[in-house]
Amino acid sequence: MTSATPEGTRRFAKRFKGKLAPEHFREAQGLLLSSIGVGTYLGEADADTDEAYRSAVVHAIEGGVNVIDTAINYRFQRSERSIGKALRGLIASDTARRDELIVATKAGYLTFDGDAPDDPRHYIQDTFIARGILDGCDITAGSHCMTPLYLNDQLHRSLKNLGVDCIDIFYIHNPEIQLTDIDRDEFIQRLRVAFEFLELAVQEGKIRHYGLATWNGFRVPPDARDSLSLEAAVLCAHSIAADNHHFRFVQLPYNLAMPEAFTRPTQIVDAHPLTILQACRQLGITVIASASILQSQLTRGLPPVVSETLPGLKTDAQRAIQFVRSTPGITTGLVGMSRTVHVDENLEVAQSAPDPAAVAKLFEDP
């Protein structure tokens, strides 16, 4: 199994000693992760965007990023393939080694291949249902499935797309969408079955850790229909593998416009209300923040108080990133990067130490 290792990630961090702030690398689950990671969600499904992402991933890794995040459905599998091409080039040139890099992907949504088909129903029928990978009744909300057979199919496609033999973090993608069609008891049963498959994939060396990548699930109140309980998820994993379980990561949106992970007690752990960041800390789960600049919406026009509280940065994008990486409990803030000029702008933030006091100050009562 070739994956990120403690030794490899430390070797990577050591290369940037004196170039980037020491706090840019954070220890989690025995690895050193960069405080800024590359996201690959947006963009057209075309060759120009493929090359833009390949180039940006290479540039980011050369600049001190070792967390690369994607999903099989991003740009119809093309984002994974762009990352795979970037990794092959970096490793072939000895610019980076596989054991230095944390590669994360997600599965759960029904996935097309390279482009949207003319007849999506026909594609799903031929690609998945006719081959026995899923049954129509396995699909929720018309677009989501997390049965073991489907996750296994998607995992092997992702391994091929990325050109790796092990994925460091394999997320179930937005599992809360299942609650659109099923009740909570059925959801927990499905989650446990999915976790059983993922623990087996760890044993087989195909993934190293698994997690839940969410949008609303950990941001909404506990009584919301699409809320997720971290405690219940951990209990599922614990029931399968006790303390040796590999459910160790959560991904959720967190930024200046969506601060709920820091401000809202959406979780109940041992009968106590906690924020998701507090709950993750208590239960040993690492938090990766998505949407750090909210799909570029936070790159301009931030109120003056943000620049006053987070001084020494040139742009609103940098301030938004600094806010995320300065929040206690956030290990890595993901930023969509498909242009090398944006990589350079974003990585300037990594030269600064995080400022947790500034985050607290932004939420002080006036």
Side-chain angles (χ1 to χ4, degrees):
M1 176 177 68
T2 306
S3 62
T5 65
E7 298 77 15
T9 56
R10 280 162 177 72
R11 184 192 318 119
F12 184 88
K14 188 176 181 181
R15 288 209 294 276
F16 298 93
K17 187 176 182 179
K19 301 176 184 177
L20 303 176
E23 300 90 345
H24 173 57
F25 293 99
R26 290 93 179 270
E27 186 165 2
Q29 310 301 337
L31 305 171
L32 283 183
L33 285 72
S34 55
S35 66
I36 300 170
V38 175
T40 58
Y41 171 49
L42 296 178
E44 297 297 323
D46 58 30
D48 287 345
T49 308
D50 293 345
E51 173 55 24
Y53 268 124
R54 185 209 64 80
S55 180
V57 168
V58 169
H59 199 55
I61 291 172
E62 290 174 340
V65 168
N66 74 338
V67 178
I68 311 299
D69 182 86
T70 191
I72 192 168
N73 65 308
Y74 288 176
R75 301 175 51 253
F76 310 126
Q77 303 188 54
R78 299 175 78 123
S79 285
E80 284 190 336
R81 291 165 184 164
S82 294
I83 291 169
K85 190 172 182 179
L87 296 180
R88 287 192 294 274
L90 287 162
I91 293 168
S93 65
D94 204 29
T95 303
R97 301 182 191 177
R98 174 66 186 94
D99 67 349
E100 299 173 340
L101 308 175
I102 294 95
V103 179
T105 193
K106 315 174 190 75
Y109 284 106
L110 301 186
T111 308
F112 301 137
D113 190 345
D115 203 350
D118 292 334
D119 186 341
R121 286 177 178 268
H122 191 267
Y123 174 86
I124 297 300
Q125 173 67 35
D126 287 355
T127 306
F128 300 115
I129 296 176
R131 295 171 57 214
I133 294 169
L134 58 78
D135 189 279
C137 64
D138 297 328
I139 302 171
T140 56
S143 62
H144 197 272
C145 180
M146 60 182 199
T147 62
L149 281 174
Y150 186 67
L151 292 178
N152 183 59
D153 174 84
Q154 299 292 277
L155 170 58
H156 283 88
R157 289 173 189 262
S158 290
L159 289 167
K160 182 179 179 180
N161 289 340
L162 292 163
V164 299
D165 60 16
C166 179
I167 292 166
D168 298 288
I169 311 169
F170 188 81
Y171 295 103
I172 300 177
H173 199 176
N174 289 0
E176 64 266 39
I177 197 171
Q178 295 262 327
L179 291 163
T180 303
D181 290 343
I182 62 175
D183 64 26
R184 197 161 295 276
D185 288 344
E186 174 66 16
F187 173 78
I188 292 298
Q189 183 177 340
R190 291 187 182 189
L191 190 67
R192 190 184 190 285
V193 171
F195 280 9
E196 287 176 343
F197 163 73
L198 294 171
E199 288 290 348
L200 179 62
V202 172
Q203 293 177 26
E204 294 174 343
K206 296 172 184 175
I207 63 175
R208 181 179 175 125
H209 300 100
Y210 61 92
L212 301 178
T214 69
W215 189 256
N216 283 334
F218 293 126
R219 298 173 47 242
V220 297
D223 59 354
R225 182 176 180 86
D226 57 349
S227 70
L228 296 176
S229 165
L230 183 69
E231 184 179 53
V234 170
L235 285 173
C236 280
H238 197 271
S239 71
I240 300 162
D243 290 340
N244 295 320
H245 71 81
H246 295 81
F247 170 49
R248 296 297 175 184
F249 285 85
V250 157
Q251 186 180 129
L252 50 82
Y254 177 75
N255 53 59
L256 282 162
M258 304 169 71
E260 296 88 353
F262 183 70
T263 61
R264 179 181 292 177
T266 65
Q267 297 297 301
I268 306 295
V269 179
D270 290 334
H272 297 291
L274 300 174
T275 68
I276 184 62
L277 294 181
Q278 292 168 332
C280 284
R281 188 178 304 115
Q282 184 166 323
L283 295 171
I285 306 297
T286 298
V287 181
I288 307 296
S290 61
S292 295
I293 59 174
L294 194 54
Q295 299 170 10
S296 298
Q297 294 181 50
L298 300 176
T299 61
R300 63 189 70 84
L302 293 180
V305 66
V306 176
S307 58
E308 293 165 4
T309 310
L310 293 166
L313 299 164
K314 299 175 184 176
T315 67
D316 279 348
Q318 291 177 342
R319 296 177 189 106
I321 294 166
Q322 179 71 329
F323 167 79
V324 173
R325 69 190 287 269
S326 295
T327 300
I330 298 291
T331 295
T332 300
L334 300 174
V335 187
M337 304 188 212
S338 62
R339 296 177 59 188
T340 56
V341 64
H342 290 156
V343 174
D344 290 333
E345 177 183 353
N346 297 339
L347 286 189
E348 285 185 14
V349 183
Q351 299 172 21
S352 303
D355 190 353
V359 175
K361 186 176 181 180
L362 282 170
F363 293 102
E364 288 178 353
D365 293 329

